Amino acid sequence: MATTLPTSASAATATAAVRIFQPTGFFLPTTSPVFSPSRSPSRRLSVVACSPGTGGVAGQATSREDTVRIVAVVGDGSISPLKDTTWEEVMRHTADRLKWVDEEFEMLVFTDKSIDRDDFREELSRCDMLVNVAITGHESVQWLLQNSKNISNVLCFQSSPSLLNKLGGRYVQYTGEQDFFGKLASVGKPSGTEESTEVLKTISNAWERHNSDDIRFCLLVVVNAYIRPVDMLQNLRAKGLSTLSCMIQNCGPQILNCLFDPDCRKAIQCLNSCSPTDQVCNYRCIASYESPHLEAFSLCVLQKHNCLGLNAEIPSKPSVTPLSMFREQPLSHEVAEDLFVGWLDNLEWSWRVVAGQNPAYDQFPCQYQIFYRGKAKGSFWYEPIFQVKTLDGELVWRRRKYRVRRASIPGTFYLSVLDNGVVSKEFWTIVDVSDDFSWGLFHYHGAAQAAGQSYTGAVLVTPDGSYPEGDNPRLDSALEKCGIKKWELYMVDNCACMGAPLGIPEGSRLHYQIAPGNEAGIMQRI
């Protein structure tokens, strides 16, 4: 239905609001040369990470038509900020995680100690992008300076300031500020500076968060901007006048209400400061400033009318197999639900999150999980309660409500939730739960289709929010099934969690067959 808002006012408010999804920069204009059809969108990405060799001059990329190659050089023995893990291990794991995006993504990791290797020289001679990580040795620095002149895209992290960054054939350099990635400024021709600045801002913000998701994200951002479109980032470009027209025709009142509401307006301003591909930045803005007007705005613009023409699918990788046996018995759908219900009844919650893998959604303090059976036959619900430290410095509680449905295999579930006006659909897997309910590991894949966002993650849960004590080979095995390293996990702050809005609806049902402390595995069915 067309809005009754006057056209001029509607256009002005829509133009302001649409900047949520159109921050200045390289991601959005459909006429940007980095998204030109001549960039061969059908090309696959192959990422190769190697160490410096001993000769030969790197030339421009000579990759096959379906391949994009990245060469990464890692300082031998260098330590990352990720719980003191070596950069070599971090980058090797990043290589595995790139395959979750596309099987054609390949990443080979070498250290700069392998400077005499011929295979490095071969890879460097045909690469589209060079990534230097923790390169400080004089010999390695000088070799790379001499042999990377013809490479169009060069990124340098935690490396000598003598190593220059380059994007799209244009050099960028450090300005002297001592943050981890370095404050970067464009050097050279004025044209393209705005685009490069936005790319660098996105990369710098992501890299400084020091997590495996964002390390992979940094690589994909550069490929997407300067080499060829990356599928998982393709939905986040503006559609120009068609977006504005859709918003004006369908959502004028919601736009106006949002812009006159302080929290919704702050959310717009905050989101406008984020790259549209940066889920961490975007969700922090939403969690900080959520309001009924923001929900109505998103519900109209994104969910109901899809004014940005976005789409996203639930990722299929990593493929995680569910727990098949519990207490030496085959897992059934009923028992799997009981594992989710967990400690509810003995405690006011099912589980508390100890640690999580996703930097956007698993890092909030004081996370409580409440799973329960509803009044209606076959209904099952999940309500996470978590604390948010808003960007204004306040501590607030947030609560969501997911509908849960059984998938075909016991231990797997489909979940859906309306989160600030946008529907998210998720596929959860019970990876493992200890026989005494002392810990559990749950993995999820998800997508907010109308927002063009897909994601994966996992949560480690215990009854009291404390990490399981001692060596735990079974937990290590469960993490390995998810492709997760311990150093990837975010530890949840469970220190100041008073006043959580817990509780379940009256008439809800809990365990069906098993519960903590019920070793016999038989309960009165309720």
Side-chain angles (χ1 to χ4, degrees):
M1 179 182 297
T3 175
T4 58
L5 193 66
T7 302
S8 60
S10 179
T13 53
T15 300
V18 78
R19 293 184 69 237
I20 292 177
F21 312 103
Q22 290 184 294
T24 301
F26 74 101
F27 293 100
L28 302 176
T30 55
T31 57
S32 171
V34 300
F35 296 115
S36 166
S38 65
R39 301 300 292 178
S40 302
S42 62
R43 296 170 69 193
R44 295 284 187 171
L45 174 66
S46 176
V47 181
V48 183
C50 312
S51 63
T54 57
V57 177
Q60 292 183 338
T62 58
S63 305
R64 300 192 316 272
E65 182 62 23
D66 63 346
T67 303
V68 176
R69 297 188 181 277
I70 300 174
V71 173
V73 189
V74 181
D76 183 55
S78 56
I79 302 300
S80 77
L82 284 73
K83 300 182 180 177
D84 294 330
T85 307
T86 65
W87 272 119
E88 183 177 4
E89 181 180 345
V90 171
M91 297 305 287
R92 289 188 185 280
H93 186 58
T94 302
D96 294 336
R97 301 187 80 251
L98 283 167
K99 288 189 175 293
W100 301 353
V101 179
D102 193 314
E103 280 292 340
E104 297 290 334
F105 286 40
E106 294 183 0
M107 190 170 187
L108 307 176
V109 181
F110 295 78
T111 74
D112 64 349
K113 193 174 183 179
S114 309
I115 198 166
D116 293 328
R117 293 178 61 155
D118 291 337
D119 54 348
F120 168 77
R121 291 160 51 190
E122 180 182 354
E123 297 294 346
L124 193 66
S125 70
R126 56 180 178 165
C127 76
D128 300 287
M129 178 171 145
L130 170 65
V131 181
N132 299 313
V133 181
I135 303 299
T136 57
H138 177 75
E139 183 179 1
S140 297
V141 169
Q142 292 304 310
W143 193 96
L144 288 166
L145 284 173
Q146 182 64 33
N147 292 280
S148 61
K149 294 178 181 178
N150 293 326
I151 300 175
S152 296
N153 302 290
V154 180
L155 290 179
C156 306
F157 300 111
Q158 199 178 350
S159 295
S160 168
S162 298
L163 292 171
L164 298 179
N165 298 272
K166 191 193 300 184
L167 292 175
R170 182 172 294 106
Y171 281 105
V172 291
Q173 68 178 7
Y174 290 93
T175 61
E177 296 192 19
Q178 299 300 313
D179 57 37
F180 183 61
F181 175 73
K183 187 69 175 178
L184 291 162
S186 255
V187 178
K189 298 179 181 178
S191 61
T193 298
E194 208 171 272
E195 176 184 350
S196 296
T197 299
E198 189 65 29
V199 176
L200 292 170
K201 175 185 173 185
T202 301
I203 295 170
S204 181
N205 289 343
W207 186 269
E208 290 168 11
R209 290 195 289 259
H210 303 164
N211 66 75
S212 58
D213 270 21
D214 283 313
I215 291 171
R216 182 182 66 174
F217 176 61
C218 289
L219 301 179
L220 296 178
V221 165
V222 175
V223 172
N224 190 58
Y226 296 104
I227 301 173
R228 69 100 166 141
V230 174
D231 290 344
M232 68 181 294
L233 303 182
Q234 284 312 289
N235 290 319
L236 299 174
R237 291 181 286 151
K239 305 301 185 291
L241 293 177
S242 63
T243 297
L244 191 61
S245 176
C246 175
M247 293 174 67
I248 292 171
Q249 292 178 15
N250 299 294
C251 304
Q254 290 85 353
I255 295 169
L256 193 60
N257 290 338
C258 179
L259 293 178
F260 279 97
D261 174 71
D263 284 333
C264 194
R265 188 169 60 250
K266 285 181 180 179
I268 288 178
Q269 293 167 344
C270 182
L271 287 164
N272 188 50
S273 70
C274 301
S275 159
T277 57
D278 190 338
Q279 294 186 30
V280 177
C281 185
N282 280 284
Y283 198 71
R284 190 178 182 199
C285 292
I286 292 168
S288 290
Y289 301 120
E290 61 184 54
S291 71
H293 289 300
L294 178 62
E295 179 173 350
F297 173 86
S298 301
L299 184 64
C300 184
V301 173
L302 296 176
Q303 193 62 46
K304 288 185 176 180
H305 299 287
N306 195 14
C307 289
L308 272 74
L310 302 179
N311 189 30
E313 296 181 357
I314 296 176
S316 60
K317 297 176 182 177
S319 178
V320 180
T321 55
L323 178 69
S324 60
M325 303 283 290
F326 186 75
R327 292 179 179 170
E328 300 182 348
Q329 296 295 320
L331 189 71
S332 65
H333 287 292
E334 292 79 11
V335 170
E337 290 173 345
D338 285 346
L339 297 182
F340 267 160
V341 175
W343 290 86
L344 188 61
D345 197 19
N346 293 0
L347 302 170
E348 293 183 85
W349 53 84
S350 299
W351 298 97
R352 294 188 66 178
V353 177
V354 179
Q357 187 270 332
N358 188 291
Y361 311 115
D362 297 340
Q363 47 79 30
F364 293 104
C366 302
Q367 296 179 46
Y368 295 85
Q369 294 186 327
I370 297 180
F371 292 91
Y372 59 92
R373 293 175 166 89
K375 292 181 181 179
K377 183 179 180 180
S379 64
F380 197 77
W381 301 92
Y382 165 50
E383 298 196 33
I385 298 99
F386 56 98
Q387 202 174 71
V388 174
K389 185 175 183 179
T390 71
L391 294 168
D392 291 336
E394 295 182 72
L395 282 176
V396 296
W397 288 100
R398 303 300 191 203
R399 184 166 181 157
R400 308 285 188 251
K401 186 170 184 176
Y402 289 74
R403 180 182 296 275
V404 182
R405 295 183 296 111
R406 297 173 181 174
S408 58
I409 301 174
T412 60
F413 299 85
Y414 296 107
L415 280 71
S416 60
V417 63
L418 183 67
D419 190 340
N420 285 280
V422 175
V423 173
S424 290
K425 296 181 179 180
E426 299 178 356
F427 181 78
W428 280 53
T429 301
I430 297 178
V431 185
D432 203 352
V433 175
S434 65
D435 289 356
D436 61 358
F437 283 76
S438 61
W439 63 268
L441 184 67
F442 308 145
H443 184 275
Y444 61 87
H445 301 90
Q449 184 176 21
Q453 299 278 10
S454 58
Y455 48 90
T456 64
V459 287
L460 173 63
V461 297
T462 62
D464 62 358
S466 299
Y467 199 91
E469 295 182 357
D471 292 334
N472 195 326
R474 184 169 167 180
L475 174 57
D476 293 343
S477 176
L479 289 169
E480 187 67 27
K481 285 171 63 177
C482 301
I484 294 174
K485 305 295 184 182
K486 283 186 177 180
W487 50 262
E488 288 186 274
L489 295 174
Y490 284 86
M491 299 306 297
V492 173
D493 182 356
N494 286 315
C495 294
C497 302
M498 300 297 292
L502 304 173
I504 58 175
E506 185 177 348
S508 299
R509 297 168 300 131
L510 303 180
H511 302 91
Y512 181 84
Q513 185 173 343
I514 62 170
N518 177 29
E519 301 301 330
I522 299 174
M523 294 184 62
Q524 179 181 0
R525 297 184 177 185
I526 56 174

